[in-house]
Amino acid sequence: MTGILIAIEMFHFLRPWFLLLIPAAALLWWYLRHRLGHQNLPTDTVAPHLLVALTVGQQRKGRLMPIDLVAVLMVLTSLGASGPTWSRVPDPFVAQTAPLVIALHVSPSMQATDVQPSRLDRAKQKIRDLLAIRAGARSALVAYGATAHSVVPMTEDPNVLQPYLEGLQPDVMPDDGNDAGRALDLANDILADEDAPGGVLFVTDALQSSDVAGLSSQEQISVAILAMLPQGKGDAGLDAVSVPVAQVAIDDGDIAQLERALNAAYRRALAEDGKQPWDDKGWILAWPAALLVLLWFRRGWTMRWSMVVVLCFGLQIPGGVRAEGVADWFLTADQQGQIAFDRKDFTRSAELYLDPMHKGYAQFRDGQYPEAIATLSQLDTPEASFVQGMASLRNRGYRDAIDAFQLTLDRDPDFPGAAHNLVLARKILEYVESTREQSDTGEHTGEGADDIVFDNEDARGADTQIQGREDSIGLLTADQWMNTVDTDTGDFLRQRFAIEAARQ
């Protein structure tokens, strides 16, 4: 189901009683129209041939009149006041993109060069583009041939997938084949641990007829296929499957199309989730109403109606409205902040937001951890204290993080992630304090950063700074150590896939 169909299905009015004003506006329009169009003329006191010459406007009965404009404005006002909506307000703590498992077909056929530079290389490029679009969303990678293997589990960091994606070549697979059914079963197992409906994207150049029914019958998840075939070349299985199939393109049109299709079930789940309020879209109708108001400046049209509208709008303008730029004429500071946040411009978003919750979260995303903690301290919600805890962790204030996560649980014992992060913060603090105690006994000297300072509220060990030893002999530098590590992910995947295939 597409996003438009979901919006139509979810469409409703938040304040439907305002719709009762529409019949009243229609009745008023009919009465005044009828009255203006059937005025009785004094035929008994004026000669007929003079009456025709002296009467103005009788030829305009069927043309547009001021009352028509008033009626349209009343209808638009009623619709806007009724609160039309078809989506919920985005939750800044929840990714607006569905969890996705990318199933890449790795086989000799994918090395064909009819799609430059090759089908497999172009598939990897497309996957990288998709991960860039889905920044911040949870993604996993599966490789399949005759067998299916989990390459990278669900992660929010697309950089984790990059080296493993590059290491996928046909020679790392235990056997050649094209068993999409096994890949689908593995993807379902991965998505079973997710809190929201997810999707599976198959990147392949062919589909066996035996797998068509399995892919077409999925109801709980969204399935889509990126066909790595040149234009004009088809595949019987890809042509028969009843899921969205996008032909690989030279631009990002195929990726955008698949992203919309895969998010369909997730958007439905977010809309059906009762935690977030519905997003009132009535303001959209203010634009056509404002354009229609301009017609009142035509000569001969009623100006007293426009004065009433101007006065009504003037009474509703709150104090302290900014007018520093053109954007301030049309958008509030929080709306501008949300636009900047959607563009990943967190610095600008933090400057624009007035709402403390959104401002603090934007500061957190921008790395302004002390500022985020100070901003969120104004609120007493579990969401605010949770982000405070995350900011304290990033700022190495582990005790403050523990206090913040504990406060979150006090406010909402079931808040997602708070209990887990509380345990994690305690473990980190315990590790830091243990490291300090070991440093007092001389263990691990010469290792670590050039200058590390820890808090010592529990008085465990001494307040020390660990200085890097420049005269250490026999210790490898970071670059030297990294050069000794085997970075060929292909060899690693080949061995792991062989072990998994043997177990299967």
Side-chain angles (χ1 to χ4, degrees), residues 94-137:
V94 178
Q96 301 303 306
T97 306
L100 177 65
V101 177
I102 303 172
L104 175 61
H105 181 206
V106 184
S107 68
S109 66
M110 289 286 286
Q111 291 185 311
T113 57
D114 50 1
V115 176
Q116 293 294 327
S118 71
R119 296 180 183 179
L120 185 58
D121 290 337
R122 177 61 68 84
K124 294 177 181 179
Q125 294 174 3
K126 290 295 182 179
I127 292 175
R128 285 193 291 267
D129 294 340
L130 178 62
L131 293 175
I133 295 176
R134 292 171 45 82

Side-chain angles (χ1 to χ4, degrees), residues 314-356:
L315 293 176
Q316 294 178 0
I317 295 178
V321 175
R322 305 183 310 162
E324 301 174 358
V326 177
D328 296 320
W329 301 351
F330 305 98
L331 300 173
T332 66
D334 288 337
Q335 289 172 336
Q336 296 178 53
Q338 183 62 47
I339 293 175
F341 188 91
D342 294 338
R343 294 174 178 173
K344 304 294 189 299
D345 188 357
F346 302 120
T347 302
R348 178 64 175 164
S349 177
E351 295 174 353
L352 290 171
Y353 266 129
L354 298 179
D355 178 73

Side-chain angles (χ1 to χ4, degrees), residues 268-292:
R268 175 193 291 274
L270 291 180
E272 294 175 349
D273 184 5
K275 296 181 181 179
Q276 287 296 109
W278 288 99
D279 191 6
D280 191 342
K281 300 292 187 179
W283 61 270
I284 297 178
L285 298 174
W287 292 101
L291 294 176
L292 290 175

Side-chain angles (χ1 to χ4, degrees), residues 221-233:
I221 62 174
S222 302
V223 179
I225 300 176
L226 177 59
M228 302 305 303
L229 294 172
Q231 295 294 330
K233 187 172 184 178

Side-chain angles (χ1 to χ4, degrees), residues 23-24 36 56 59 72 132 139 143 188 190 225 227 229 234 238 248 251 283 356 365 394 396 407 428 433 448:
L36 293 174
V56 179
Q59 295 82 6
V72 173
S139 305
N188 277 316
I190 296 174
I225 300 176
L229 294 172
L238 295 177
V248 62
D251 56 11
W283 61 270
R365 293 295 300 272
R394 298 287 181 86
R396 297 185 180 181
L407 180 59
I428 294 175
E433 292 177 339

Side-chain angles (χ1 to χ4, degrees), residues 189-244:
D189 293 339
I190 296 174
L191 292 172
D193 297 330
E194 297 299 307
D195 297 330
V200 182
L201 173 63
F202 284 88
V203 184
T204 180
D205 57 353
L207 188 66
Q208 295 184 22
S209 57
S210 58
D211 295 325
V212 171
L215 269 65
S216 303
S217 61
Q218 296 297 311
E219 296 180 357
Q220 301 299 325
I221 62 174
S222 302
V223 179
I225 300 176
L226 177 59
M228 302 305 303
L229 294 172
Q231 295 294 330
K233 187 172 184 178
D235 175 75
L238 295 177
D239 295 337
V241 72
S242 61
V243 300

Side-chain angles (χ1 to χ4, degrees), residues 102-106 141-145 147-151 168 172-173 183 186 497:
I102 303 172
L104 175 61
H105 181 206
V106 184
L141 180 61
V142 167
Y144 74 95
T147 55
H149 307 272
S150 175
V151 181
L168 289 176
V172 308
M173 304 301 295
L186 180 57
F497 290 173

